[in-house]
Amino acid sequence: MTKRNVIIDCDPGIDDALALMLACASEELNILGITIVSGNIRGEQCAENALQVLKLMGRLDIPVYLGETRPLRRDIVAAEETHGDDGLGGVTLPPVEEVRYQKDAIEFLRTSLTENEDVTVLAIGPLTNIAVLLEKYPEAARRMRELIFMGGAFKSHGNCSPVAEFNFWADPDAAGYVLNHLGRPTTMVGLDVTREVVLTPNYRELLHQLKEAQADFIVAITRFYTDFHWAQERTLGCVINDPLAVAYLLDPSICGGEDYYVDVVTEGKAIGMSMVDVGGITGKAPNCRVLTQVDAKAFMVLFLNRLFPAHRRDIDAVLDTERYGKL
């Protein structure tokens, strides 16, 4: 099997943790490293959380690098109310002592992109690290095969303001800079598609019944997330945004979309809003593929069966009876 080189830039975060688990369970990915950015919580804790997930998955061979801990210009904002003070819903785990995270994610990105061919960067946090890389080392940044990022919203409403998705809202300047200057194939996995991917009570109960450490971890960390979604939206279950970006990398047929010019509002009441130019009003060429459709069942088949292949029969039985789409 020819493995696909990938660097995962993230801010774990409950749904980031699920995305890392899916990536680690996918043999066709050669994960060169994980770079950390502040977002859901501060970067240092995000790095610790990444190590926890790698240990759980038996993948402490994958290096973790701490990157930018502040947005480019705006004050740092975090999402403890969504992910808990520790980013993993209050699930207390012993610190990882076998390995430690390293610093200077930007230098790691530069070196990896320079020394390896066809590297996909999968960014599921604010785009601060990618923007700094592009500003400091544009030639290295433009060697990436493609950028797939979770962020933004097209026709869907925001999740941290009426119009803004969190990753764009946390560092709108970085998102706008990357979209306007990277010049590489770029895909936006935004709220229009991620909101269709819901870990429902049926799925959480299925995971509980599997009696496996990884399944128990998912159930534990998503308890906080589920409570947040009920309080915020009266949704039973929780939207798991970031794993969909990994799934799209593995199987692009899961999602569909169109190419548009996309920019980001960087100040004012609409800060963080993604501006998708459907009508060509700006006169600018498309710079991003915007995903607008998703096969939610195909995603869940991939997600659950990759992580728990020994339980395929039970998983398929639940998948056959579960509903899909927005709750």
Side-chain angles (χ1 to χ4, degrees), residues 113-114 133-134 136-144:
L113 290 166
T114 301
L133 171 73
L134 179 59
K136 291 181 67 174
Y137 305 114
E139 291 185 3
R142 294 185 181 116
R143 280 181 53 84
M144 71 176 68

Side-chain angles (χ1 to χ4, degrees), residues 2-17:
T2 300
K3 294 194 173 187
R4 186 168 181 180
N5 291 331
V6 61
I7 297 170
I8 302 175
D9 189 71
C10 58
D11 59 335
I14 293 168
D15 55 336
D16 299 74

Side-chain angles (χ1 to χ4, degrees), residues 218-248:
I218 294 174
V219 172
I221 65 174
T222 57
R223 175 71 273 167
F224 189 97
Y225 215 25
T226 299
D227 290 345
F228 169 80
H229 277 80
W230 175 254
Q232 183 86 351
E233 303 174 356
R234 285 301 186 264
T235 294
L236 281 174
C238 54
V239 176
I240 50 174
N241 302 287
D242 294 336
L244 183 58
V246 180
Y248 177 76

Side-chain angles (χ1 to χ4, degrees), residues 8-327:
I8 302 175
D9 189 71
C10 58
D11 59 335
I14 293 168
D15 55 336
D16 299 74
L18 302 185
L20 290 177
M21 293 175 73
L22 176 58
C24 287
S26 300
E27 294 183 356
E28 62 266 54
L29 298 183
N30 178 31
I31 305 173
L32 299 175
I34 295 169
T35 54
I36 300 297
V37 63
S38 289
N40 290 320
I41 50 173
R42 290 185 178 270
E44 293 83 358
Q45 185 62 51
C46 290
E48 297 288 355
N49 292 347
L51 290 173
Q52 294 285 359
V53 175
L54 293 178
K55 183 172 183 178
L56 177 70
M57 299 301 294
R59 292 303 311 272
L60 285 175
D61 59 296
I62 301 172
V64 176
Y65 293 86
L66 178 63
E68 299 299 305
T69 57
R70 299 190 63 82
L72 293 185
R73 292 183 179 85
R74 73 170 303 182
D75 293 336
I76 189 169
V77 290
E80 291 95 342
E81 73 282 358
T82 307
H83 297 268
D85 291 341
D86 63 351
L88 293 179
V91 176
T92 302
L93 297 169
V96 175
E97 298 179 348
E98 296 91 325
V99 298
R100 300 301 303 147
Y101 66 82
Q102 303 174 57
K103 296 185 178 180
D104 207 349
I106 306 306
E107 187 62 28
F108 168 76
L109 284 161
R110 182 193 69 81
T111 301
S112 298
L113 290 166
T114 301
E115 296 180 353
N116 296 276
E117 298 294 330
D118 294 328
V119 178
T120 294
V121 174
L122 182 69
I124 52 179
L127 288 171
T128 317
N129 283 340
I130 311 306
V132 172
L133 171 73
L134 179 59
E135 186 174 36
K136 291 181 67 174
Y137 305 114
E139 291 185 3
R142 294 185 181 116
R143 280 181 53 84
M144 71 176 68
R145 174 176 176 171
E146 64 178 325
L147 172 68
I148 299 173
F149 67 85
M150 190 277 131
F154 176 19
K155 297 181 180 179
S156 185
H157 59 85
N159 62 356
C160 60
S161 84
V163 295
E165 177 275 330
F166 176 79
N167 286 338
F168 274 24
W169 182 74
D171 197 341
D173 299 283
Y177 185 78
V178 171
L179 282 164
N180 281 292
H181 294 90
L182 180 59
R184 298 301 299 150
T186 300
T187 301
M188 174 174 136
V189 187
L191 295 180
D192 297 81
V193 287
T194 64
R195 275 201 166 107
E196 303 281 352
V197 178
V198 180
L199 192 69
T200 65
N202 279 1
Y203 290 138
R204 295 187 75 252
E205 181 60 25
L206 167 65
L207 291 167
H208 171 68
Q209 295 300 332
L210 297 185
K211 309 300 182 186
E212 289 198 10
Q214 294 169 4
D216 291 344
F217 178 74
I218 294 174
V219 172
I221 65 174
T222 57
R223 175 71 273 167
F224 189 97
Y225 215 25
T226 299
D227 290 345
F228 169 80
H229 277 80
W230 175 254
Q232 183 86 351
E233 303 174 356
R234 285 301 186 264
T235 294
L236 281 174
C238 54
V239 176
I240 50 174
N241 302 287
D242 294 336
L244 183 58
V246 180
Y248 177 76
L249 171 62
L250 295 168
D251 182 4
S253 70
I254 287 176
C255 297
E258 300 289 340
D259 295 333
Y260 297 110
Y261 173 73
V262 182
D263 203 354
V264 183
V265 177
T266 57
E267 58 185 12
K269 292 183 178 179
I271 189 170
M273 180 180 180
S274 38
M275 306 274 288
V276 181
D277 185 6
V278 177
I281 294 172
T282 65
K284 295 185 177 181
N287 60 355
C288 186
R289 184 160 187 81
V290 179
L291 300 186
T292 55
Q293 303 97 32
V294 58
D295 184 335
K297 181 175 182 179
F299 163 80
M300 203 60 72
V301 167
L302 187 154
F303 178 73
L304 292 174
N305 284 320
R306 284 294 178 94
L307 284 167
F308 308 106
H311 300 277
R312 187 177 299 271
R313 180 180 297 179
D314 291 333
I315 290 169
D316 289 346
V318 173
L319 287 166
D320 286 342
T321 58
E322 183 69 349
R323 62 171 292 191
Y324 300 93
K326 297 177 184 177
L327 296 185

